[in-house]
Amino acid sequence: MSEQEQSKRAEGRPELPIERGFPIERVNEIAEKEGRAKQWYRPIYTMHKWWARRPGCLFRAITLYSLLDEDTTLDDVDVYEPGENQTLGENGLDKEDLVEAIGNVSMENPESLWEFYPKDVRIKNKKILDPFMGGGTSLVEASRFGVESVGVDLNPVAWFVTKKQLDAGQTDVEELEAAFEQLKEDVADDILQYYRTPCPNGDHDADVMYNFWVKELDCVSCGHTVPLFKDYRVAKERYSDDPGYNVLCPDCGAITIVDDWQEKSECNDCAHEFNPKEGPVTRGGYYNCPKCGQKEAIIDAIQGQDGYDLQLYAVEYYCEECDQQGLDKSTHKGYKQAEGVDKQLFEEAKREWNTRTDLHEYVPEENIPPGHMTSERNPVFDHGYEKWTDMYNERQLLSFSKILKSIDELEDQNVAEFLLLAFSDVLETNSMMVSYDHGYNKIDHIFKINAFAPPTYPTENNVWGTKFGRGTFTAIYDMVKKGVEYANNPTERHIVDNETKETSEFAQPIGLNSDVYQDDMRNITTENEYDAVITDPPYYDNIIYSEVADYFYVWQKVLLEDKYPGFDREKTPRAESIVTNPYLDKTAEDFEHEMGQALEVINRALKDDGTLAFTYHHSDEESWGELLESLCNNDFEVTATYPINSDLMKFIGGEAVSFDIVIVARPTEERTPISWRRLRIEILNRLEEIQESLEEHRDLSEGDIGVVEMGACFSEYSKHHGEVRRSGDIMTAKEAVQEIYGIIQDNALGEQDIFLALQRNRSPSYNDFNKLLRRSEASEEEMREKALFRMEGNDFIIGDWRDQKRQAYVQDKVTGENGDLTVLDKAHFLRYRYEEDKSTKEYLERWNSDDLQELCEGLAEATGDETYLNMLGVHNTNWDEFTDE
């Protein structure tokens, strides 16, 4: 049994599988696929956007490996085989196998428990908390194990999204479908009448998929109207066999196909020659007047002209009639120049919006609040945006208000809220703040770069939607419906022999025994209640979710203001958010303080033997240090860390990298004093065990192994936080992390490390010495030459200050004024003179240093002899604790 295991058991808390091993390889291979195809793996998470969602498979694995422990009995669990019969233990694995598998998990073989990942496992009498629930992944996955779960988030949008995910498993799909059909009957035709265009292939109309707009400004010099195109691309040609690009002719406005949009081309309609790559807008936010050559900053021109004009210049269409006639795709679907009738249709929608004042209560009235994301990162006010409604055109506002009014009139609040969820998510791809992805022939979404970035040529989506198109109301509703269907009967996808397998449906729906609260987690008052806190906490310099979430909040607020607390403000909470915010002068120091408050609350809420398991985004050793210090200062002990989808070869090379990790920590109260020298040796010993084990038994990269090793180092350090002494001073966590970085990158014992380890061993043998030597940069020949050891027959003799051969070697070095005296040589020489009652003053004045004091602390601790400190004039008031063996 390892020293770590002995320590845990001595404390009386059961050891968790996640502390002994975690199937990094298996989780990562699923996470990679799930990240690209959430709609197939876990459609519940595609019902509405939330930022930086962790993979569901990761939280399922964390929960499985954290809520079971070595004390789990047969009465604590059930294991069902997914499928109609839901039989217990008749199809391979049962709960006896589960209990046995818990005990078999190890660093070398973490996959004994992984066999139960695709099984319908129920864990009884457990309760978890997620105090930063965000998009609710931890709660959704925990509910699938039947555990009681509680979630808290300050942001009302996060609260609403998570609430509906957890409601989904108790929602009747047929009732949701009926509500959608009612909504469709009420508004679909009224909206779609404004998304029609003359089909270029006959005397009939086609559906508009996307309308392409461009902002226009007048030249400040000559008054010429300048369309703000960076280039004249419309879209890659995908509907014909000939490769090429649809581009806009700047002379006649036709949509023409060219072979290469970056080369000089000729318009097929008017024969105008131009280079589609060269639009009037240049880098740095400037435009050049094509008539007089005047260069002007776009922002300055917008402010000087009190805004900009918008011009509809192109349409992407789909013609159902041509499709049904069997015409090829390049005929029934394509791009065309916007005609007068297209522009007139928009004007009709605009007139209806301006006259339908009964609909205006269904759009937000709020001004865009100033903040880091709106005033500093991408200052939308400089582009003429003042109200949230300025981000949409009148046709969009008309469509939105009709949808919201119809939702508001539904009697069933639960299904109405799911349609509101769909509507809210539609806003991501339906505003004049989105552009078109020319290379992929689809509309982008507003948070492509997690900021408000006004485009100069925005794209207007078909709000309700036609047969094709991305991000329409009907498309998003389908995603919400699939999420509800999944929540009623979830399945699990996993990988067997490189092939993805999907289980049959689980009988237990998502969301049972779950409660969520919109609140500041620091208001949590419960004590000693939760078995685990499983979360993804805020990262100090991440995007400011409160500010970007306002984009959804102001629309959700229209229908939720009178129904739920938290939707009665103009904006989501700002100052209370635990994140740096330059606009509010919230610094990294503020973040550290507030995260400390949060960890204090978490520790209090956890049971004494509870677990904190969380994901963390890390980029440098400073953030490691801040995290470790926060955890330790709030009475947590790190017990393991694991990488998530990380290729960290740079980490081993000492370069700064960015990656995600899972950190496991347990509450602790007692910490024992130790010298840094001794702790360093214990860390090195632990690293050797881990490296040998993982390299032999696991298929992990060097970087992944480095993260696991870092966790082991944290674990060793956190047992002694605040009591680690070096050169008479207490090391901080940040200092320890800096040293640990170096240890992992070097991972080698020095000559002094070997000597101290031998001194600590009361009767060392040559075999002990040889084992240490294999992990060192030291040379056996050099250590023999320095008389640090010798063999007398079969006896292994350490050469300390009392040894005559060692004395002779050191005396010769000193009297010969040899400049290559080591710190260990100096310590032995001083100790000899001190014992002989000879003056050491002259040598101390020359040699005294932090390195010497640190080594003497290590010698005192290794030998239990305080004289090494006395000879330096160092007096340790906690000597009894310091030398406790």
Side-chain angles (χ1 to χ4, degrees), residues 292-426:
C292 72
Q294 174 70 36
K295 184 177 182 179
E296 180 73 6
I298 292 173
I299 288 176
D300 292 343
I302 288 174
Q303 294 173 352
Q305 298 174 35
D306 195 24
Y308 50 80
D309 291 326
L310 274 165
Q311 186 65 241
L312 180 64
Y313 67 91
V315 169
E316 182 177 1
Y317 66 90
Y318 161 70
C319 182
E320 185 177 16
E321 187 171 328
C322 291
D323 191 5
Q324 290 176 348
Q325 291 175 11
L327 301 181
D328 60 39
K329 186 172 285 189
S330 63
T331 301
H332 69 248
K333 197 176 180 190
Y335 302 88
K336 70 187 190 74
Q337 180 179 1
E339 304 175 39
V341 66
D342 297 309
K343 299 174 183 179
Q344 180 59 35
L345 198 60
F346 174 76
E347 292 300 321
E348 290 176 15
K350 184 176 178 180
R351 274 195 298 273
E352 183 181 358
W353 169 245
N354 289 330
T355 58
R356 288 288 304 274
T357 54
D358 61 311
L359 294 176
H360 287 203
E361 65 179 289
Y362 289 100
V363 301
E365 302 175 342
E366 288 81 5
N367 290 324
I368 301 169
H372 175 66
M373 306 297 286
T374 54
S375 305
E376 296 173 342
R377 183 168 178 179
N378 285 90
V380 296
F381 304 109
D382 293 348
H383 290 264
Y385 299 91
E386 296 179 358
K387 291 180 168 291
W388 288 109
T389 49
D390 292 340
M391 294 185 176
Y392 312 93
N393 68 28
E394 290 85 351
R395 177 159 48 194
Q396 291 170 326
L397 294 175
L398 176 66
S399 302
F400 295 163
S401 61
K402 287 180 177 181
I403 291 172
L404 280 181
K405 184 175 186 295
S406 183
I407 293 173
D408 193 30
E409 292 169 352
L410 293 171
E411 293 182 2
D412 187 322
Q413 182 176 332
N414 179 45
V415 295
E417 287 176 359
F418 278 105
L419 293 176
L420 174 61
L421 193 73
F423 167 80
S424 177
D425 203 47
V426 161

Side-chain angles (χ1 to χ4, degrees), residues 54 58-59 62 535-537 613-617 644 661-663:
R54 303 295 186 178
L58 171 64
F59 274 98
I62 290 173
T535 189
D536 178 23
F614 63 100
T615 54
Y616 186 71
H617 179 80
I644 311 170
I661 53 176
V662 174
I663 296 177

Side-chain angles (χ1 to χ4, degrees), residues 649-763:
M649 294 307 293
K650 289 183 179 180
F651 171 71
I652 298 302
E655 299 178 43
V657 293
S658 178
F659 55 91
D660 290 330
I661 53 176
V662 174
I663 296 177
V664 184
R666 306 287 289 272
T668 187
E669 293 181 359
E670 297 184 6
R671 290 191 167 99
T672 55
I674 195 171
S675 72
W676 169 246
R677 282 272 181 185
R678 178 171 178 178
L679 179 58
R680 184 174 183 272
I681 291 172
E682 291 184 1
I683 285 173
L684 283 163
N685 289 335
R686 183 82 177 109
L687 292 181
E688 182 186 30
E689 294 174 12
I690 290 172
Q691 190 132 27
E692 286 180 359
S693 171
L694 295 184
E695 287 179 351
E696 182 178 353
H697 299 285
R698 303 283 293 277
D699 182 21
L700 294 173
S701 70
E702 283 297 308
D704 288 342
I705 291 173
V707 174
V708 178
E709 289 177 333
M710 184 66 78
C713 295
F714 283 4
S715 175
E716 295 298 330
Y717 168 81
S718 57
K719 287 186 242 179
H720 308 283
H721 173 70
E723 299 286 351
V724 181
R725 291 172 173 80
R726 181 175 65 173
S727 304
D729 297 324
I730 299 296
M731 288 183 74
T732 66
K734 292 181 182 180
E735 290 171 335
V737 165
Q738 188 174 16
E739 295 288 347
I740 287 169
Y741 248 64
I743 289 172
I744 292 179
Q745 288 157 10
D746 297 336
N747 200 5
L749 293 169
E751 181 179 278
Q752 293 174 18
D753 296 318
I754 293 176
F755 186 82
L756 287 172
L758 293 171
Q759 288 279 53
R760 191 169 289 111
N761 187 335
R762 297 304 181 222
S763 55

Side-chain angles (χ1 to χ4, degrees), residues 24 194 237 263 373 484 508 527 605 627 635 638 670 673 756:
I24 302 162
Y194 293 116
E237 176 56 33
E263 298 292 338
M373 306 297 286
V484 173
Q508 177 159 290
E527 297 184 22
L627 172 66
D635 298 325
V638 176
E670 297 184 6
L756 287 172

Side-chain angles (χ1 to χ4, degrees), residues 237 240 242-260 264-274 276 335 337:
E237 176 56 33
S240 66
D242 297 326
Y245 249 95
N246 292 275
V247 299
L248 173 73
C249 173
D251 191 54
C252 72
I255 305 300
T256 188
I257 297 179
V258 299
D259 293 332
D260 188 343
K264 189 173 183 179
S265 306
E266 181 178 288
C267 175
N268 295 330
D269 282 39
C270 70
H272 174 68
E273 292 187 348
F274 67 105
Y335 302 88
Q337 180 179 1

